[in-house]
Amino acid sequence: MAKRLTVARAALVTGGLRFADAKSYRDGNFVPGAVKYGDIPGLLALRAPQPMMLLGEPASETLIQQVYAAAGQPQGVAFEPNAEVSEGGIEWLTDQ
């Protein structure tokens, strides 16, 4: 049986990107069906309950917070409004 690899922690820079903002199917940010399934917040919520830090994402993203809370990990997602990785972000990512 093949070994299953998992990502224990993830730090992602979204920069506030939303697929719904794509003006055309030729836009580089267009992903078919992504908006239908909750756009970036909906896709990121699928990571629950694994720890995740979102850089450049509004801290008021309630869908992600609600899904993490429902998964029993309300503190499992951290928001950093700056889109740059800081020392605190590096520490969070490497914290075991």
Side-chain angles (χ1 to χ4, degrees):
M1 179 179 250
K3 234 180 172 181
R4 185 174 175 184
L5 300 175
T6 60
V7 176
R9 294 177 154 254
L12 306 167
V13 179
T14 66
L17 170 77
R18 294 295 181 266
F19 297 126
D21 294 337
K23 304 294 184 215
S24 164
Y25 71 92
R26 293 180 183 199
D27 188 308
N29 292 325
F30 177 76
V31 175
V35 175
K36 179 179 180 178
Y37 296 105
D39 213 322
I40 294 289
L43 296 173
L44 292 176
L46 294 173
R47 182 152 167 74
Q50 300 300 318
M52 175 172 61
M53 175 178 274
L54 298 173
L55 300 128
E57 189 68 22
S60 63
E61 199 51 71
T62 56
L63 173 64
I64 298 170
Q65 292 169 326
Q66 289 171 348
V67 172
Y68 267 79
Q73 293 294 327
Q75 303 301 319
V77 61
F79 293 91
E80 173 60 50
N82 297 321
E84 296 178 15
V85 178
S86 64
E87 279 188 38
I90 298 288
E91 288 177 22
W92 179 90
L93 191 57
T94 59
D95 184 30
Q96 300 297 323

